[in-house]
Amino acid sequence: MNQSCEIRPALVIVLYNPTYDDLHHARMMADENEGMIVDNSTLPNFADERVGKMRYCCFEANLGIAEAQNRALRTLMTDVEAAYTHFVLLDQDSRPAKDFPRMMAEEYEAAASTAGVEQIAAIGPTIVNKSTGEAYTSAFHSAPTGTEHFARQREIIASGMCIARWALNEVGLNDASLFIDMVDHEWCWRATSKGYAVGTTPQVELAHAVGRPPIRIGRHTILTAAPMRYYYLCRNYLLLVRRPYVPTQWKLAMGVKRAAAFFIIPFTQRDGLSALRQMFRGVFHGLKRH
């Protein structure tokens, strides 16, 4: 599928208590793209079941990003008439241009047609820090190498991710039990365990913000977030560390970060004690596999 006329991407946007600017951007994207907006807010943010060219569904409860994306993908996958070829995921606070879904689908096809690259399940843009404009890097990862259209990565984040239709059939949907954190990484590792590749394209950038301003310790970065996120960070780490397809390097690196957070977050964040309570709660439920 290398001719652009054969490409038909569908966009999935997940909302949760969005700001006015989030809704404005969602409307802008819906004016030009087909797909689905799914809303985890308790009250609808749009009055109709369609916004522009996109369907809209409010669950009136927070089902988590994994289940919200799953419901949208199931709906779009079963639309036989539309026959979407690619699915592009987007967080509400990312701000790509209107043609971003088609750009990502075309980049996927360009990367997939490159000789020497195994089957690619998903491709993401190069993620840049919304505040600094710099690409996100990790002290635990070496710089990726690859082709003009594809740099293989161990995992990529969900916002901006373009997944081929066949890959969803082969790899499956998100693990909804994870609710929010590490959902995208788990999907990537599952795809890799089945022999497929995931990576990014240097041809497309996406400005994105991850949580609150991070804490930097030497070359290492510890992301900060609202207290409830620490529950899922701790719980999901303990759920994933038992799975054989999860990379050992990630298990070790994330274990260090999660342990360090117990000693850093309570003393550096204004709601640090609440975060600490959520960490202990997450560890308790993670050990119980709850």
Side-chain angles (χ1 to χ4, degrees), residues 8-14 26 29-38 49-57 71-73 75-77 79 82 84 86-89 101:
R8 190 169 186 180
L11 177 64
V12 174
I13 302 176
V14 179
M29 298 300 291
D31 285 341
E32 299 294 329
N33 298 281
E34 298 177 28
M36 191 166 184
I37 300 172
V38 282
E49 293 182 356
R50 294 199 71 86
V51 179
K53 296 180 180 180
M54 297 179 70
R55 309 181 196 196
Y56 171 70
C57 178
R71 294 195 182 192
L73 291 169
T75 300
L76 297 170
M77 287 278 284
D79 190 335
Y84 297 114
H86 305 75
F87 301 91
V88 178
L89 309 179

Side-chain angles (χ1 to χ4, degrees), residues 159-175:
S159 195
M161 180 190 290
C162 176
I163 308 173
R165 184 187 187 95
W166 69 262
L168 279 176
N169 288 322
E170 291 291 319
V171 180
L173 297 174
N174 295 320
D175 180 349

